[in-house]
Amino acid sequence: MTHVLDPRAPAAAIPPRREPPAPYRDVTRSDAAFRAFLHGLPGVDQVGAEARVGVLGTRSIKTTAKAWAIDTAISMVDLTTLEGADTPGKVRSLAAKARRPDPGDPTTPQVAAVCVYGDLAGVAREALAGTGIHVAAVATAFPSGRASREVKLADVRDAVANGADEIDMVIDRGAFLSGRHLDVFDEIVAVKQACGDAHLKVILETGELVTLDNVRRASWLAMLAGGDFIKTSTGKVSPAATLPVCLVMMEAVRDFRAATGRQVGVKPAGGIRTTKDAVKHLVLVNEVAGPDWLSPDWFRFGASSLLNDLLLQRQKLRTGHYSGPDHVSVD
Amino acid sequence: MSTQTPPTHSLFEYAPAPESRSIVDIAPSYGLFVDGEFVDGSGTPLKTVNPATEEVLSEVPTATDADVDRAVRAARRAFTRVWGPMRPADRGKYLFRIARLLQERAREFAVLESLDNGKPIRESRDVDVPLAAAHFFYHAGWADKLDWAGLGPGPRPLGVAGQVIPWNFPLLMLAWKVAPALATGNTVVLKPAETTPLTALLFAEVCRQADLPPGVVNIVTGAGETGRAVVEHEDVDKVAFTGSTEVGRSIARSVAGTRKRLTLELGGKAANIVFDDAPIDQAVEGIVQGIFFNQGHVCCAGSRLLVQESVHEEVIASLQRRIGTLRLGDPLDKNTDIGAINSAEQLARIRELSDIGEAEGANRWQPACELPERGYWFPPTVFTDVSPAHRIARDEVFGPVLSVLTFRTPDEAVAKANNTTYGLSAGIWTEKGSRILAIADRLRAGVVWANTFNKFDPTSPFGGYKQSGYGHEGGRHGLAAYLEGGQ
């Protein structure tokens, strides 16, 4: 991996900054050095990336493999509600669904987490007590991220205090796109610190980064800064999660672990609505990063309507016929 | 020889997803297709086997000189009486009809191709059959527009074309040969390869279904002797051959001094050049696609990987990891990436050349992969530490065997890429557009792919330098090969 040190950066001017893991300790010494590093990552050929996911999309997942994939996908869902109209009642109903996605079939696995705004984290925490289901809260002025650092950190501390054990932050896309990569890095480090023990998912909002080269750079940036997960999108911007984006992120976490020994998770979010989409993602995880990522500890789906389609397909596998939308609960 | 440590039992095991073979009816025996009828051949019949299982699929006749003569005479009659004088737009109509029938019967063709050839159904379904149909559609469009093809006014057909095709893309090579010949007003006598005659015979059925006038397409099966009879028949005006350089050479000799026109599409030893600024993940995909597509039974396969020394380790590590995920097995399983080697004979050649590679000092690497007990199989193989003097760097292996060489500068890359007796195709991987243009300009290869590999399209002429043959197929250039005053 090429990286260039900026010889003009005087040692004294280096702010006290959390160092990235070896062998990348020196890449954040200056904005120029960090930029050179991120732009020195191998490029991504969009046509080639799309062709690769196209071929992976033709994998035929049937019978036992399909059953495994559906249950695994259910266990990876971050069941999400992020509306201005959210209420404690809505969150409690979602929590009930998370615990028991299919009331008619107790063998259905639980989902991984419930994802809400920070002010409702307490309601979710209470409703999920004793289940092992995580409470994820979006923070840092989600979804735009347009607020001062202090406000964002306060947002994070508040969500953690309310009971969130996972924080989904957004990066400052404005800073990233204007080349202030170190600002983005420092902010992630600060948020990670504010999280305490809570897991940090870093939302790249790939729909605003646009190019796959940017997706790769932002993924590396977030991992170097200490993010536990990298996440595609807020779900408020279109396009949200796409397979080529997920491919590039899976390549990034795979390469990052090979280089540093640290494993980082991936969460595509927004736009994944069908079992077919979910299975395509699992195939991609399996064949690009490998089976080590095939667990809710390392891969999540940020979704709401996806769960019902997974449940319908699960019922179909069990009973041999399709039921209808009235056979799964409305959230 | 080093191999990968066996992977731990995967969490996500794909259940078998075989395409049903019941879609296609394979007759216990077939006839020759001459003058619109299926007729018996006079030679000893050949058995065609499924290379994945060694099961005998069917029996096809061997056409003798007399059978070939009947076929050529039928083709001549059809040329002078029906197909030659026909209104070009009507010829186009027949070709459009054939193209549509190929699409309608695509699954049947795909399954039959995979059974007879051993290639994965994913490839026959997604590449061979759709491309074959595309060739007919493309050339159907040309049939009544030849005056505007830039080949001079009123270009005239040559007459009877004798065509001999290989076993690696049986239906697709048939389409490459038959579609341009028919669109330009010629009639054909085609000999499919002895190990893969079945899709050609199914195509004969499609010709009948399309009401193609008798004698316009004749299909004679058999081995080398039958091919020789087609090529050497004195009433053949045009010879088109795709296959080995060795056979191509003997055809060139036999055609020399006659009035026959000749197109040869022969072997290759393509260089796939990866520069240090390449998009590595996509380059690795391209390398895999370049050499393992169709088990490497591809004349334009990227069988020599030229990788810049500064990224050699990174590329090889990625490549080996990626090869470890390839799925080898039942060609009819929709999740299979690598199918069977087409014949015992070809398998023996691949083994022999690989052993020579090792004996000459190259380093053989193969992933841990179980080969089925029956059938002809060879695991994906990568040779590193290959010197340009090694036979695996010079000879066409025509199998899933990649030879890796390194280079330090663009000049060295070009010199090594061109250092081959072939010149069919090449690949360039770099994010730098100006470098693509500069290098492509200096490569002596008929097709140069940039940041992709093994992409085919009927509009794009295909042909090679040096011992890769002469003449082109596809595009306007391909039409010229079947027209008076063309070429």
Side-chain angles (χ1 to χ4, degrees), chain B residues 208-260:
Chain B
R208 278 164 63 114
Q209 205 181 341
D211 279 329
L212 190 72
V216 173
V217 168
N218 302 275
I219 292 168
V220 291
T221 49
E225 275 304 293
T226 307
R228 191 195 48 73
V230 170
V231 167
E232 294 184 0
H233 195 287
E234 58 182 22
D235 201 30
V236 161
D237 302 294
K238 158 83 189 181
V239 172
F241 171 76
T242 296
S244 72
T245 294
E246 194 189 338
V247 176
R249 231 185 249 124
S250 80
I251 290 177
R253 262 196 297 272
S254 76
V255 167
T258 70
R259 68 190 156 81
K260 293 176 194 173

Coordinates of all heavy atoms in Angstrom, one line a residue, chain B residues 208-260:
Chain B
R208 N -34.9 -26.6 -39.8 CA -36.1 -27.1 -40.4 C -37.4 -26.4 -39.8 O -38.3 -26.1 -40.6 CB -36.2 -28.6 -40.0 CG -35.4 -29.5 -41.0 CD -35.2 -30.8 -40.5 NE -36.4 -31.6 -40.3 CZ -36.7 -32.7 -41.0 NH1 -35.9 -33.1 -42.0 NH2 -37.8 -33.4 -40.8
Q209 N -37.3 -26.1 -38.5 CA -38.4 -25.4 -37.9 C -38.6 -24.0 -38.5 O -39.7 -23.5 -38.6 CB -38.1 -25.2 -36.4 CG -39.3 -25.1 -35.5 CD -38.8 -24.9 -34.1 OE1 -37.7 -25.3 -33.7 NE2 -39.7 -24.4 -33.2
A210 N -37.5 -23.4 -38.9 CA -37.5 -22.1 -39.5 C -37.9 -22.1 -41.0 O -37.9 -21.1 -41.7 CB -36.2 -21.4 -39.3
D211 N -38.1 -23.3 -41.5 CA -38.4 -23.5 -43.0 C -37.3 -23.1 -43.9 O -37.5 -22.6 -45.0 CB -39.7 -22.8 -43.4 CG -40.9 -23.6 -43.0 OD1 -40.8 -24.9 -43.0 OD2 -42.0 -23.1 -42.7
L212 N -36.1 -23.1 -43.4 CA -34.9 -22.7 -44.2 C -34.9 -23.7 -45.4 O -35.0 -24.9 -45.2 CB -33.7 -22.9 -43.4 CG -32.4 -22.3 -44.0 CD1 -32.5 -20.7 -44.0 CD2 -31.2 -22.7 -43.2
P213 N -34.8 -23.1 -46.6 CA -34.8 -24.0 -47.8 C -33.7 -25.1 -47.7 O -32.6 -24.9 -47.2 CB -34.4 -23.1 -48.9 CG -34.8 -21.7 -48.5 CD -34.6 -21.7 -47.0
P214 N -34.1 -26.3 -48.1 CA -33.1 -27.5 -48.0 C -31.8 -27.2 -48.7 O -31.8 -26.5 -49.7 CB -33.9 -28.6 -48.7 CG -35.3 -28.2 -48.7 CD -35.3 -26.7 -48.7
G215 N -30.7 -27.6 -48.1 CA -29.4 -27.5 -48.7 C -28.7 -26.2 -48.3 O -27.5 -26.1 -48.6
V216 N -29.4 -25.2 -47.7 CA -28.7 -24.0 -47.4 C -27.7 -24.2 -46.2 O -26.6 -23.7 -46.2 CB -29.7 -22.9 -47.0 CG1 -29.0 -21.6 -46.5 CG2 -30.6 -22.5 -48.2
V217 N -28.2 -25.0 -45.3 CA -27.3 -25.4 -44.2 C -27.2 -26.9 -44.2 O -28.2 -27.6 -44.2 CB -27.8 -24.9 -42.8 CG1 -27.0 -25.6 -41.7 CG2 -27.6 -23.4 -42.7
N218 N -26.0 -27.5 -44.3 CA -25.8 -28.9 -44.2 C -24.8 -29.2 -43.1 O -23.8 -28.5 -43.0 CB -25.2 -29.4 -45.5 CG -26.1 -29.1 -46.7 OD1 -27.1 -29.8 -47.0 ND2 -25.9 -28.0 -47.3
I219 N -25.1 -30.2 -42.3 CA -24.2 -30.5 -41.2 C -23.7 -31.9 -41.3 O -24.5 -32.9 -41.3 CB -24.9 -30.2 -39.8 CG1 -25.1 -28.7 -39.7 CG2 -24.0 -30.7 -38.7 CD1 -26.0 -28.2 -38.7
V220 N -22.4 -32.1 -41.4 CA -21.8 -33.4 -41.5 C -20.9 -33.6 -40.3 O -20.1 -32.8 -39.9 CB -21.0 -33.6 -42.8 CG1 -21.9 -33.6 -44.0 CG2 -19.9 -32.5 -42.9
T221 N -21.2 -34.7 -39.6 CA -20.4 -35.0 -38.4 C -19.3 -36.0 -38.7 O -19.3 -36.7 -39.8 CB -21.3 -35.6 -37.3 OG1 -22.1 -36.7 -37.9 CG2 -22.2 -34.6 -36.7
G222 N -18.3 -36.1 -37.8 CA -17.2 -37.0 -38.0 C -15.9 -36.4 -37.4 O -16.0 -35.4 -36.7
A223 N -14.8 -37.1 -37.6 CA -13.6 -36.6 -37.0 C -12.7 -35.9 -38.1 O -13.3 -35.3 -39.0 CB -12.8 -37.8 -36.5
G224 N -11.4 -35.9 -37.9 CA -10.5 -35.2 -38.8 C -10.7 -35.4 -40.2 O -10.6 -34.5 -41.1
E225 N -10.9 -36.7 -40.6 CA -11.0 -37.1 -42.0 C -12.2 -36.4 -42.7 O -12.1 -36.0 -43.8 CB -11.2 -38.6 -42.1 CG -9.8 -39.4 -42.1 CD -8.9 -38.8 -43.3 OE1 -9.3 -39.0 -44.4 OE2 -7.9 -38.2 -42.9
T226 N -13.3 -36.3 -41.9 CA -14.5 -35.7 -42.5 C -14.2 -34.2 -42.7 O -14.6 -33.6 -43.7 CB -15.7 -35.8 -41.5 OG1 -15.8 -37.2 -41.2 CG2 -17.0 -35.3 -42.1
G227 N -13.5 -33.6 -41.7 CA -13.1 -32.2 -41.9 C -12.2 -32.0 -43.1 O -12.4 -31.0 -43.9
R228 N -11.3 -32.9 -43.3 CA -10.4 -32.8 -44.5 C -11.2 -32.9 -45.8 O -11.0 -32.1 -46.7 CB -9.4 -34.0 -44.4 CG -8.3 -33.8 -45.4 CD -7.5 -35.2 -45.6 NE -8.4 -36.3 -45.8 CZ -9.1 -36.6 -46.9 NH1 -9.0 -35.8 -48.0 NH2 -9.9 -37.6 -47.0
A229 N -12.2 -33.8 -45.8 CA -13.1 -33.9 -47.0 C -13.8 -32.6 -47.3 O -14.0 -32.3 -48.4 CB -14.0 -35.1 -46.8
V230 N -14.3 -32.0 -46.2 CA -15.0 -30.7 -46.4 C -14.1 -29.7 -47.0 O -14.4 -29.0 -48.0 CB -15.6 -30.2 -45.1 CG1 -16.2 -28.8 -45.2 CG2 -16.7 -31.2 -44.6
V231 N -12.9 -29.5 -46.4 CA -12.0 -28.5 -46.8 C -11.5 -28.7 -48.2 O -11.3 -27.8 -48.9 CB -10.8 -28.5 -45.7 CG1 -9.7 -27.6 -46.2 CG2 -11.3 -28.0 -44.4
E232 N -11.2 -30.0 -48.5 CA -10.5 -30.3 -49.8 C -11.5 -30.5 -50.9 O -11.1 -30.7 -52.1 CB -9.6 -31.5 -49.6 CG -8.5 -31.1 -48.7 CD -7.5 -32.3 -48.5 OE1 -7.6 -33.3 -49.2 OE2 -6.5 -32.1 -47.8
H233 N -12.8 -30.5 -50.6 CA -13.8 -30.7 -51.7 C -13.6 -29.6 -52.8 O -13.6 -28.4 -52.5 CB -15.2 -30.7 -51.2 CG -16.2 -31.3 -52.1 ND1 -16.6 -30.6 -53.3 CD2 -16.8 -32.5 -52.2 CE1 -17.5 -31.3 -53.9 NE2 -17.6 -32.5 -53.3
E234 N -13.6 -30.0 -54.0 CA -13.2 -29.1 -55.1 C -14.3 -28.1 -55.4 O -14.1 -27.0 -56.0 CB -12.7 -29.7 -56.3 CG -13.7 -30.7 -56.9 CD -13.2 -31.4 -58.2 OE1 -11.9 -31.4 -58.3 OE2 -14.0 -31.8 -59.0
D235 N -15.5 -28.4 -55.0 CA -16.6 -27.4 -55.3 C -16.9 -26.5 -54.1 O -17.9 -25.8 -54.1 CB -17.9 -28.2 -55.7 CG -18.8 -27.3 -56.4 OD1 -18.3 -26.4 -57.1 OD2 -20.1 -27.5 -56.3
V236 N -16.0 -26.5 -53.1 CA -16.1 -25.5 -52.0 C -15.4 -24.2 -52.4 O -14.3 -24.3 -52.9 CB -15.6 -26.1 -50.7 CG1 -15.2 -25.1 -49.7 CG2 -16.5 -27.1 -50.2
D237 N -16.1 -23.1 -52.2 CA -15.5 -21.8 -52.6 C -14.8 -21.1 -51.5 O -13.9 -20.2 -51.7 CB -16.6 -20.9 -53.2 CG -17.3 -21.5 -54.3 OD1 -16.7 -21.7 -55.4 OD2 -18.5 -21.8 -54.1
K238 N -15.2 -21.5 -50.3 CA -14.6 -20.7 -49.2 C -14.4 -21.7 -48.0 O -15.3 -22.5 -47.8 CB -15.7 -19.7 -48.8 CG -15.6 -19.2 -47.4 CD -14.6 -18.1 -47.2 CE -14.3 -17.7 -45.8 NZ -13.4 -16.6 -45.7
V239 N -13.3 -21.6 -47.4 CA -13.0 -22.5 -46.2 C -12.9 -21.6 -45.0 O -12.2 -20.6 -45.0 CB -11.8 -23.3 -46.4 CG1 -11.4 -24.0 -45.1 CG2 -12.0 -24.3 -47.6
A240 N -13.6 -21.9 -43.9 CA -13.5 -21.2 -42.7 C -13.2 -22.2 -41.6 O -13.9 -23.2 -41.5 CB -14.7 -20.4 -42.4
F241 N -12.1 -22.0 -40.9 CA -11.7 -23.0 -39.9 C -11.4 -22.3 -38.5 O -10.8 -21.3 -38.5 CB -10.5 -23.8 -40.3 CG -9.9 -24.7 -39.3 CD1 -10.5 -25.9 -38.9 CD2 -8.7 -24.3 -38.6 CE1 -9.9 -26.7 -37.9 CE2 -8.2 -25.1 -37.7 CZ -8.8 -26.3 -37.3
T242 N -11.9 -22.8 -37.5 CA -11.5 -22.4 -36.1 C -11.0 -23.7 -35.4 O -11.7 -24.7 -35.4 CB -12.6 -21.8 -35.3 OG1 -13.0 -20.6 -36.0 CG2 -12.1 -21.4 -33.9
G243 N -9.8 -23.6 -34.9 CA -9.2 -24.7 -34.2 C -7.7 -24.6 -34.0 O -7.2 -23.4 -33.9
S244 N -7.0 -25.7 -33.9 CA -5.6 -25.6 -33.5 C -4.8 -25.1 -34.7 O -5.1 -25.2 -35.9 CB -5.1 -27.0 -33.1 OG -5.0 -27.8 -34.3
T245 N -3.6 -24.5 -34.3 CA -2.7 -24.0 -35.3 C -2.2 -25.1 -36.2 O -2.0 -24.9 -37.4 CB -1.6 -23.2 -34.6 OG1 -2.2 -22.1 -33.9 CG2 -0.5 -22.7 -35.6
E246 N -1.9 -26.2 -35.6 CA -1.4 -27.4 -36.3 C -2.3 -27.7 -37.5 O -1.9 -27.8 -38.7 CB -1.3 -28.5 -35.4 CG -0.4 -29.7 -35.8 CD -0.6 -30.8 -34.8 OE1 -1.0 -30.6 -33.6 OE2 -0.4 -32.0 -35.2
V247 N -3.6 -27.9 -37.2 CA -4.6 -28.3 -38.2 C -4.7 -27.1 -39.2 O -4.8 -27.3 -40.4 CB -5.9 -28.7 -37.6 CG1 -7.0 -28.9 -38.7 CG2 -5.8 -29.9 -36.7
G248 N -4.7 -25.9 -38.7 CA -4.9 -24.7 -39.5 C -3.8 -24.7 -40.6 O -4.0 -24.3 -41.7
R249 N -2.6 -25.0 -40.2 CA -1.4 -25.0 -41.1 C -1.7 -26.0 -42.2 O -1.4 -25.7 -43.4 CB -0.2 -25.4 -40.3 CG 0.9 -24.4 -40.5 CD 2.2 -24.9 -39.8 NE 2.5 -24.0 -38.7 CZ 2.7 -24.4 -37.5 NH1 2.5 -25.7 -37.1 NH2 3.0 -23.6 -36.5
S250 N -2.2 -27.2 -41.9 CA -2.3 -28.2 -42.9 C -3.5 -27.8 -43.9 O -3.5 -28.1 -45.0 CB -2.5 -29.6 -42.3 OG -3.9 -29.7 -41.9
I251 N -4.5 -27.1 -43.3 CA -5.6 -26.6 -44.2 C -5.0 -25.5 -45.1 O -5.3 -25.6 -46.3 CB -6.7 -26.0 -43.3 CG1 -7.4 -27.2 -42.6 CG2 -7.7 -25.2 -44.2 CD1 -8.6 -26.7 -41.7
A252 N -4.2 -24.7 -44.6 CA -3.6 -23.6 -45.4 C -2.8 -24.2 -46.6 O -2.9 -23.8 -47.7 CB -2.7 -22.7 -44.6
R253 N -2.1 -25.3 -46.3 CA -1.3 -26.0 -47.3 C -2.2 -26.6 -48.4 O -2.0 -26.4 -49.6 CB -0.5 -27.2 -46.7 CG 0.9 -26.8 -46.4 CD 1.8 -28.0 -46.1 NE 1.4 -28.7 -44.9 CZ 1.8 -28.5 -43.7 NH1 2.7 -27.5 -43.5 NH2 1.4 -29.2 -42.7
S254 N -3.3 -27.2 -47.9 CA -4.2 -27.9 -48.9 C -5.0 -26.9 -49.7 O -5.4 -27.2 -50.9 CB -5.1 -28.9 -48.2 OG -6.2 -28.2 -47.6
V255 N -5.2 -25.7 -49.2 CA -6.0 -24.7 -49.9 C -5.1 -23.9 -50.9 O -5.6 -23.3 -51.8 CB -6.8 -23.8 -48.9 CG1 -7.3 -22.6 -49.6 CG2 -7.9 -24.6 -48.2
A256 N -3.8 -23.9 -50.5 CA -2.9 -23.1 -51.3 C -2.9 -23.5 -52.8 O -3.0 -24.6 -53.1 CB -1.5 -23.3 -50.8
G257 N -3.0 -22.5 -53.6 CA -3.0 -22.7 -55.1 C -4.3 -23.0 -55.6 O -4.5 -23.2 -56.8
T258 N -5.3 -23.1 -54.8 CA -6.7 -23.3 -55.3 C -7.4 -21.9 -55.3 O -6.9 -20.9 -54.9 CB -7.5 -24.2 -54.4 OG1 -7.8 -23.5 -53.2 CG2 -6.8 -25.5 -54.2
R259 N -8.6 -21.9 -55.9 CA -9.4 -20.6 -55.9 C -10.0 -20.3 -54.6 O -10.7 -19.3 -54.4 CB -10.4 -20.6 -57.0 CG -11.5 -21.6 -56.7 CD -12.4 -21.9 -57.8 NE -13.0 -23.2 -57.6 CZ -14.0 -23.4 -56.7 NH1 -14.6 -22.4 -56.1 NH2 -14.5 -24.6 -56.5
K260 N -9.9 -21.2 -53.7 CA -10.7 -21.1 -52.4 C -10.2 -20.0 -51.6 O -9.0 -19.7 -51.5 CB -10.6 -22.4 -51.6 CG -11.3 -23.6 -52.2 CD -11.0 -24.8 -51.4 CE -11.4 -26.1 -52.3 NZ -11.1 -27.3 -51.6

